[in-house]
Amino acid sequence: MAKREALRDLQSRLAQRLSAVRSEAPAASWLAIECAGVGLLVPLAGAGEIFPVGTLAPVPHTRPWFVGVANLRGGLHGVVDLAAFLGLRPTQSAAEGVREQARLLALNPAVGSHVALMFERLAGLRTAGQLQREPEDDVSRPSFAGARWRDDRQRVWQEIDPAALVQHEQFLGIAR
């Protein structure tokens, strides 16, 4: 019970912070999430609401990372296990063990898709002032992978562009 109250408090503070950040002068700011221990940054403009993982209706003949459909505030959203999609976790069955702690990030409808990304941990908000951009390297990354950033604890965060993600060929190919 205490964990639920703490989570509600965190979500309430985060919602207040999101509102405050949106009303401030435009600057790069992200929602920081973790998938299989990897830090990811989702631009606030592409992020919508965060939900607990409730009942998911399975969809047959789909990729293992497409875990089903959820009713989020009356709208149907396809749910993608982001860690499995990114190859950070092997299969949907591995996701079963993390679902109780996981959350869903419904993407902003402005990105053009009713999708929710399942992730393991919410790490808060980040701004460009808190991070240093990593130099470009020769590693090939998908089109939805933006810049990499490092925080003051030397942790590297990968920026994800939700609009590019929902248009990515592999992401669109949910059928087996």
Side-chain angles (χ1 to χ4, degrees), residues 56-88:
L56 299 176
V59 179
H61 310 294
T62 57
R63 303 274 180 201
W65 46 263
F66 190 83
V67 293
V69 177
N71 180 344
L72 304 176
R73 293 210 190 270
L76 292 179
H77 289 71
V79 177
V80 172
D81 178 349
L82 190 55
F85 173 76
L86 295 173
L88 303 172

Side-chain angles (χ1 to χ4, degrees), residues 135-148:
E136 296 294 323
D137 56 22
D138 293 336
V139 176
S140 177
R141 292 187 177 81
S143 59
F144 57 82
R148 293 175 9 135

